[in-house]
Amino acid sequence: MSLFDSFSISSSGMKAQRLWLDLISNNIANINTTRTANGGPYRRQVPVFAQRLQETMENGIRECGVVVTRVTEDNSPPRMEYDPSHPDANEQGFVAYPNINIVNEMVNMMIASRAYEANATVLESAKSMALKALEIGRG
Amino acid sequence: MPGGKVTDLPLSFGWQGWIFVLGVVLMNIYGDKTFRLLEKAMDAGNLRQRVIANNIANINTPGFKKSLVKFESILKEELSGGRIPLATGDERHFGVNSLVNVNPLVVKETATSMRADGNNVDIDDEMTKLAANTINYYTVTQELNNRFRILGTVINGR
């Protein structure tokens, strides 16, 4: 059982949370985007977290951190605003804006950054434990 | 005065006595239960660090259930049950064999739930365990170092 396993688990956690932060910043940056390559307004992107599993010699498959399996789009209906002068307005004069709620995004941002910090703290303590173990026998 | 003779005793067994003491200590380096136990405690610390890291990494994973490491309770049980013999005369009687059952155990806690998504990781609990585990690990390392220093003192004679 090596402390380096713990390093890689914490790094997987940090990676996953940073990817979520990337998606959140992308969502916030596109909060008013009405045109995308697929047509229609931008759709909110959300990560799907799953446990990362690793096969080992001694005890079969065991848990080894977290992984983002895919990024899905939020299928909730777009926000409709009345603005007939907008080039993307429909016949009734409504513009479809992305289904992004800024409060929701900010809350998720806090959750992701706190989780990132927690993973960084775990990594830091694993690091200091490994360095402490190196001191054995030095007197 | 009756105590007068007693003060002479410690240094009275001569160089053969010291060679004997040194021999006993060297013989015990590889069979000493304390070293084996400290080693196991460090292994348990590594494993617990890994499990805590996994719990915290999965804090946002829906449906994830946390795990915890049992070691101290197992050790206590083995000690109180008398399954770890204390001092014995023959070196083949102590060492690894008597500690065979003292191994850390990973237990998954599936019954509870912290949030609506089924995840049951309690971040405060995990961070507290992390701090405790780190300090515990430091303590074990320190104790190992102390043991080695005592050994060095015996070998060097100062």
Side-chain angles (χ1 to χ4, degrees):
Chain A
M1 192 59 57
S2 162
L3 274 173
F4 294 110
D5 286 345
S6 170
F7 287 9
S8 88
I9 292 171
S10 293
S11 103
S12 81
M14 287 164 80
K15 215 190 300 181
Q17 304 309 325
R18 204 183 52 221
L19 195 141
W20 194 13
L21 267 179
D22 286 350
L23 291 178
I24 292 167
S25 51
N26 199 28
N27 287 345
I28 294 178
N30 282 294
I31 196 161
N32 288 322
T33 302
T34 53
R35 286 178 200 187
T36 56
N38 302 333
Y42 174 88
R43 286 186 180 278
R44 188 171 83 102
Q45 293 189 320
V46 281
V48 178
F49 294 116
Q51 294 175 57
R52 192 171 71 173
L53 299 170
Q54 190 186 46
E55 206 170 341
T56 57
M57 296 290 280
E58 64 266 29
N59 44 4
I61 293 175
R62 67 180 183 194
E63 299 165 331
C64 185
V66 66
V67 70
V68 176
T69 46
R70 62 200 164 96
V71 175
T72 56
E73 287 191 337
D74 184 350
N75 281 323
S76 58
R79 189 175 86 240
M80 303 303 281
E81 271 182 27
Y82 185 69
D83 184 5
S85 62
H86 196 287
D88 290 330
N90 62 12
E91 299 87 53
Q92 287 86 35
F94 282 95
V95 183
Y97 280 104
N99 52 357
I100 296 166
N101 178 355
I102 188 69
V103 178
N104 197 354
E105 297 302 317
M106 295 304 276
V107 169
N108 284 344
M109 185 186 81
M110 290 304 295
I111 294 173
S113 71
R114 289 286 183 242
Y116 185 92
E117 278 173 26
N119 279 296
T121 308
V122 177
L123 179 61
E124 189 61 43
S125 94
K127 215 171 76 186
S128 68
M129 279 164 73
L131 288 175
K132 196 76 180 168
L134 269 183
E135 285 174 17
I136 292 173
R138 277 200 194 158
Chain B
M1 192 174 169
K5 268 192 173 337
V6 179
T7 48
D8 299 333
L9 265 179
L11 287 170
S12 65
F13 52 78
W15 63 270
Q16 294 97 333
W18 284 112
I19 296 286
F20 176 72
V21 168
L22 185 64
V24 166
V25 168
L26 286 179
M27 221 173 66
N28 276 352
I29 297 176
Y30 300 106
D32 191 359
K33 280 193 295 298
T34 312
F35 276 116
R36 288 285 157 283
L37 262 182
L38 289 173
E39 198 185 312
K40 290 216 174 229
M42 281 186 82
D43 273 350
N46 281 348
L47 179 63
R48 185 169 282 144
Q49 177 72 21
R50 188 199 144 91
V51 165
I52 293 171
N54 193 49
N55 288 346
I56 293 180
N58 281 291
I59 187 144
N60 290 324
T61 308
F64 175 82
K65 299 294 184 192
K66 69 181 173 186
S67 301
L68 50 96
V69 175
K70 274 182 143 182
F71 176 70
E72 284 78 6
S73 56
I74 294 174
L75 177 60
K76 198 173 174 185
E77 205 174 288
E78 292 287 318
L79 277 173
S80 64
R83 280 185 287 273
I84 298 174
L86 296 175
T88 49
D90 191 330
E91 91 171 285
R92 283 168 297 178
H93 286 170
F94 46 64
V96 183
N97 288 342
S98 60
L99 296 172
V100 139
N101 293 325
V102 186
N103 280 319
L105 194 68
V106 180
V107 187
K108 195 171 257 292
E109 201 173 309
T110 50
T112 57
S113 207
M114 279 286 286
R115 298 199 300 257
D117 66 2
N119 189 312
N120 67 350
V121 180
D122 181 349
I123 186 72
D124 303 317
D125 194 32
E126 296 299 325
M127 294 315 269
T128 314
K129 275 184 186 162
L130 178 77
N133 188 46
T134 310
I135 292 171
N136 198 35
Y137 194 84
Y138 280 13
T139 313
V140 173
T141 316
Q142 183 98 53
E143 183 56 26
L144 257 177
N145 269 330
N146 285 345
R147 292 262 147 189
F148 280 122
R149 200 165 48 239
I150 290 169
L151 217 54
T153 309
V154 171
I155 291 170
N156 292 324
R158 61 191 152 85

